[in-house]
Amino acid sequence: MVRESLLNAENAVLREVVRAGDYWLKEIKKGQTFRILDLEGNQAADTLFYNADDPSERYSATDTVREQRNLYLTVGSQLRSNLNNVMLEIVADTCGRHDTIGGACATESNTVRYSLEKRCMHACRDSWMLALAEHEHLGISKRDITHNINFFMNVPVTRDGGLTFADGISAPGKYVELRACMNVIVLISNCPQLNNPCNAYNPTPIEVLVWN
Ligand SMILES: [Zn+2]
């Protein structure tokens, strides 16, 4: 479902470009809204969410899918935690569909899916691990890296229940906007994957905007 935002970029309190392959980690306060903007199109933003006041509470794909009775995320989706609390709500979306079942790329999955020599290639999990190592004070560790959302990524489920990593449905300038329903830590890996069409084989920058 597509719904455009009423917010004006000129009023944003923060605007940051995240280069392909970099991470973005920030706290978003309850009531703030943030936008992930696909600057050049066909880019995947692999994102984790934690309760900033107690990071042992974090985003749960199973709770989210069960409560909304739909596999895909778009406007109106409430992103739930492992305690079934609503963490964020998608309030605008010009892409129309986001994935939360495909998981994130890792050197191990690159090896299994593609080939042994792909193991040394940069993957989202490495970006998250680097982010957590550089922000030890948050108290989030490797074991807290669990369910994620792949914003802008297209993972349709076949009639037989299979997952397919399809060509992206995003395009330059498309965005998704979320309002925080609690204080949340947002950790985005701007996906460096080169082996499947989720980034159109060409990882590109995104921009993150925040409004009060
Ligand atoms: Zn990735």
Side-chain angles (χ1 to χ4, degrees):
M1 194 174 123
V2 169
R3 182 190 295 162
E4 292 196 12
S5 171
L6 300 174
L7 294 171
N8 188 334
E10 288 174 8
N11 300 328
V13 293
L14 184 77
R15 290 185 74 161
E16 286 184 1
V17 171
V18 187
R19 295 177 305 170
D22 276 359
Y23 72 81
W24 188 85
L25 190 161
K26 285 274 187 307
E27 182 176 342
I28 302 292
K29 296 287 185 189
K30 181 180 179 179
Q32 282 189 317
T33 299
F34 74 99
R35 177 187 297 176
I36 307 173
L37 173 61
D38 189 357
L39 287 169
E40 298 182 28
N42 263 14
Q43 180 59 23
D46 295 41
T47 306
L48 297 164
F49 297 107
Y50 301 91
N51 177 346
D53 301 314
D54 175 9
S56 69
E57 182 175 14
R58 40 86 185 153
Y59 172 71
S60 164
T62 45
D63 289 270
T64 300
V65 166
R66 184 193 66 237
E67 294 293 325
Q68 73 166 14
R69 299 177 180 205
N70 196 297
L71 285 174
Y72 307 121
L73 305 176
T74 185
V75 165
S77 289
Q78 294 183 320
L79 310 185
R80 290 179 177 266
S81 73
N82 54 327
L83 302 181
N84 206 26
N85 293 316
V86 177
M87 304 183 79
L88 305 108
E89 182 170 346
I90 299 180
V91 291
D93 181 11
T94 59
C95 182
R97 178 192 281 186
H98 309 271
D99 165 67
T100 192
I101 48 180
C105 61
T107 55
E108 293 84 355
S109 63
N110 281 345
T111 307
V112 171
R113 283 181 183 145
Y114 309 111
S115 69
L116 185 58
E117 55 267 32
K118 307 292 188 187
R119 187 174 176 88
C120 55
M121 291 177 75
H122 185 182
C124 281
R125 193 176 170 82
D126 294 338
S127 293
W128 289 337
M129 292 289 285
L130 175 64
L132 297 184
E134 291 182 344
H135 297 78
E136 263 185 342
H137 64 279
L138 294 175
I140 304 174
S141 73
K142 186 178 183 176
R143 68 185 300 170
D144 300 307
I145 297 178
T146 61
H147 305 176
N148 73 290
I149 295 174
N150 299 306
F151 287 110
F152 308 117
M153 193 165 154
N154 186 22
V155 184
V157 177
T158 67
R159 284 178 68 89
D160 298 331
L163 292 187
T164 42
F165 289 78
D167 196 6
I169 49 177
S170 189
K174 298 229 176 189
Y175 59 80
V176 60
E177 216 167 84
L178 301 100
R179 185 169 55 232
C181 303
M182 60 171 69
N183 298 328
V184 286
I185 294 164
V186 180
L187 174 49
I188 301 172
S189 163
N190 192 16
C191 184
Q193 180 60 263
L194 286 165
N195 300 296
N196 74 45
C198 70
N199 298 324
Y201 303 97
N202 174 35
T204 50
I206 57 170
E207 185 175 3
V208 185
L209 300 87
V210 181
W211 288 266
N212 284 330

